[in-house]
Amino acid sequence: MSRVTFTIDGKTATAEQGQTILKAAEAAGVYIPRLCACKDLVPHGSCRVCSVRVNGRIQAACVQIVTEGAIVENESDEIREYRRNIIDMLFVEGNHFCMFCEKSGHCELQALAYRFGIAAPRYRYLYPKREIDLSHPDVYLDHNRCILCGRCVRASQDLDHKNVFQFVERGCRKRLQVDGEALAATDLRVTDEAVASCPVGALMRKRVGYAVPVGRRPYDEIPIGKDIESPGEE
Amino acid sequence: MSSKARIATVSLAGCFGCHMSILDIDQRILQLADLVEFDRSPINDYKDFQGRCAVGIVEGGCCNEENVHVLERFRRQCDVLVSLGDCAINGGIPAMRNNIPLRECLEDAYLKSPGVYNPAGTVPNDPELPLLLNRLYPCHEVVRIDHFIPGCPPPADAIWDALVGLLTGKPVAPVYNRLKYD
């Protein structure tokens, strides 16, 4: 198959015909931060954390296809600033209390904030009132921590061939809705890919929290994306 | 008064865990004693400021009017004000009440909870008790904060790095595993 050539942050790389910028960059050893994009899932382009400048325009790297001669900016101050703002807004918009969250140390949102060196968000916390669904015997859904990335929605449909999750409402009222009175009334199983797909502590398995000691959790010592930047190094 | 830089610390709506983490700098506390003089702080139990301070360290957010007064006093007395720990930065555990009306919180705590013995059937309202605010406010929503050290508690090394940077004017390069939210 013919390949296309592009540059990312001045470095020349090649990509397969039709490959997304995110995937092509990954193959070239360049990590583009992302939240809603996830291996094995059709890209969604909703979180905008993977925003890059392509030939002068801001595009979401997870959905944008590489074209011949494309010039991609990934690590510029401007792009970094955009991404930091998105992460900040995600933190203030929900109730993200890392100190008692079971996902802490495994959380992709937290890991991104660590990677960006964020000591405190720049915006006011909204402290929204959100529900927690504990009805299911093996899984719980904490809307306080949901960032509306849609990974569970896509995983449930495309990988589990169910339709447990959907978004309802629009704008600041947008929220995740389950297909039934509560999680227990759906056909969700603890082994479903949807459960494993959550990047934050919103959709969680019960009774397995805090199993890994502090210091040995995935993002305690190694920044998120390091596996892409220097594969094989631990 | 000695010519050393003065630092003050306080715990507002916090659990003193961040102060424990300050003590966790271990022997470096001797180096710190060479660098600074402690002003108002739970460490020496001074209740009020003795003079102007170079650095003020605040643990915990503001849950009552006294917290606000103390924080405002710290802002006036200190050149650099530091929010230490998650409670000062995002409210932490005390902020869990932020989307529950205050009356409901008090009624639940003093009247309705199982095991409550309260024959008078009233919520404590002695004038000595600071009035609770409607919700918990992170410190930077009350006064200007110059520096943030997150963590629950922040690692001692993170506190040390920040103090050395602030006191010597030479910022210490950030270290990945010293920035923590838990």
Side-chain angles (χ1 to χ4, degrees):
Chain A
M1 206 179 5
S2 70
R3 292 184 71 87
V4 292
T5 307
F6 70 106
T7 70
I8 182 159
D9 296 329
K11 172 182 168 183
T12 305
T14 63
E16 285 166 29
Q17 201 67 257
Q19 202 171 24
T20 62
I21 293 174
L22 189 110
K23 288 267 164 65
E26 211 168 293
V30 176
Y31 171 69
I32 299 178
R34 77 292 298 263
L35 272 174
C36 74
C38 181
K39 205 166 125 282
D40 304 328
L41 292 181
V42 177
H44 198 230
S46 61
C47 77
R48 309 318 268 196
V49 170
C50 71
S51 291
V52 288
R53 204 173 262 288
V54 189
N55 297 336
R57 289 188 60 177
I58 298 282
Q59 306 277 8
C62 67
V63 288
Q64 191 64 29
I65 306 298
V66 187
T67 52
E68 180 62 39
I71 299 166
V72 181
E73 288 170 40
N74 172 49
E75 280 291 341
S76 68
D77 288 346
E78 177 207 26
I79 295 290
R80 208 188 136 76
E81 201 57 20
Y82 280 144
R83 291 175 180 159
R84 184 197 151 145
N85 275 311
I86 293 168
I87 298 165
D88 276 0
M89 286 190 275
L90 287 170
F91 267 97
V92 299
E93 176 206 52
N95 293 311
H96 298 281
F97 293 110
C98 300
M99 73 287 296
F100 59 82
C101 180
E102 289 175 67
K103 193 78 171 191
S104 193
H106 305 258
C107 172
E108 292 178 33
L109 177 64
Q110 184 193 58
L112 275 179
Y114 288 169
R115 187 183 163 108
F116 279 77
I118 298 174
R122 295 166 176 161
Y123 305 107
R124 281 179 62 137
Y125 289 95
L126 299 184
Y127 300 113
K129 188 170 175 60
R130 304 238 190 108
E131 301 300 317
I132 304 175
D133 183 342
L134 294 164
S135 63
H136 195 283
D138 305 312
V139 181
Y140 69 86
L141 175 58
D142 187 343
H143 291 277
N144 289 291
R145 304 168 185 161
C146 180
I147 56 168
L148 305 174
C149 66
R151 271 158 60 161
C152 59
V153 176
R154 284 170 286 153
S156 184
Q157 285 175 350
D158 302 342
L159 305 179
D160 302 328
H161 307 293
K162 299 177 181 178
N163 191 15
V164 177
F165 303 99
Q166 270 301 343
F167 289 127
V168 292
E169 304 231 34
R170 285 287 178 271
C172 63
R173 291 208 185 85
K174 184 172 173 175
R175 64 190 156 82
L176 192 66
Q177 177 73 48
V178 299
D179 181 26
E181 280 285 300
L183 215 47
T186 69
D187 52 358
L188 181 78
R189 302 283 294 271
V190 66
T191 48
D192 283 357
E193 293 291 341
V195 178
S197 72
C198 185
V200 292
L203 194 56
M204 298 286 285
R205 284 176 64 193
K206 290 183 177 176
R207 299 178 295 276
V208 294
Y210 312 117
V212 184
V214 173
R216 279 199 256 146
R217 302 169 305 180
Y219 303 121
D220 278 335
E221 300 291 332
I222 304 158
I224 189 166
K226 198 80 188 156
D227 53 331
I228 292 168
E229 292 166 331
S230 35
E233 221 179 85
E234 274 295 287
Chain B
M1 208 178 282
S2 86
S3 58
K4 284 183 200 169
R6 304 179 71 78
I7 67 172
T9 76
V10 72
S11 179
L12 304 176
C15 70
F16 275 92
C18 297
H19 273 80
M20 291 298 127
S21 209
I22 295 177
L23 298 180
D24 227 15
I25 63 175
D26 296 336
Q27 305 100 306
R28 283 173 292 184
I29 203 143
L30 299 173
Q31 274 171 267
L32 188 62
D34 287 337
L35 276 173
V36 303
E37 185 103 11
F38 270 91
D39 200 292
R40 170 183 178 156
S41 168
I43 291 170
N44 54 20
D45 212 22
Y46 286 176
K47 304 298 186 204
D48 205 0
F49 283 96
Q50 313 294 304
R52 178 115 198 122
C53 289
V55 180
I57 297 175
V58 182
E59 168 188 341
C62 291
C63 75
N64 63 34
E65 53 169 0
E66 194 222 358
N67 293 155
V68 174
H69 295 154
V70 172
L71 182 58
E72 285 173 339
R73 183 141 171 73
F74 263 70
R75 181 66 274 180
R76 284 196 300 272
Q77 287 294 121
C78 304
D79 297 338
V80 174
L81 205 53
V82 181
S83 265
L84 181 67
D86 289 342
C87 293
I89 293 171
N90 67 28
I93 307 284
M96 289 181 81
R97 75 167 167 100
N98 276 9
N99 42 46
I100 302 167
L102 180 58
R103 180 176 294 275
E104 245 177 77
C105 291
L106 290 170
E107 283 177 354
D108 227 66
Y110 291 104
L111 307 174
K112 292 181 184 163
S113 274
V116 166
Y117 176 74
N118 183 0
T122 57
V123 169
N125 64 350
D126 191 282
E128 284 287 305
L129 296 173
L131 281 177
L132 289 175
L133 304 178
N134 63 328
R135 67 168 174 90
L136 188 125
Y137 292 83
C139 292
H140 60 275
E141 289 188 14
V142 179
V143 299
R144 179 171 56 83
I145 298 289
D146 305 296
H147 195 80
F148 299 89
I149 312 174
C152 186
D157 288 334
I159 300 173
W160 177 253
D161 288 353
L163 277 177
V164 168
L166 291 171
L167 292 167
T168 61
K170 291 178 210 134
V172 177
V175 179
Y176 176 80
N177 66 6
R178 293 181 188 175
L179 179 77
K180 289 281 166 241
Y181 300 162
D182 63 0

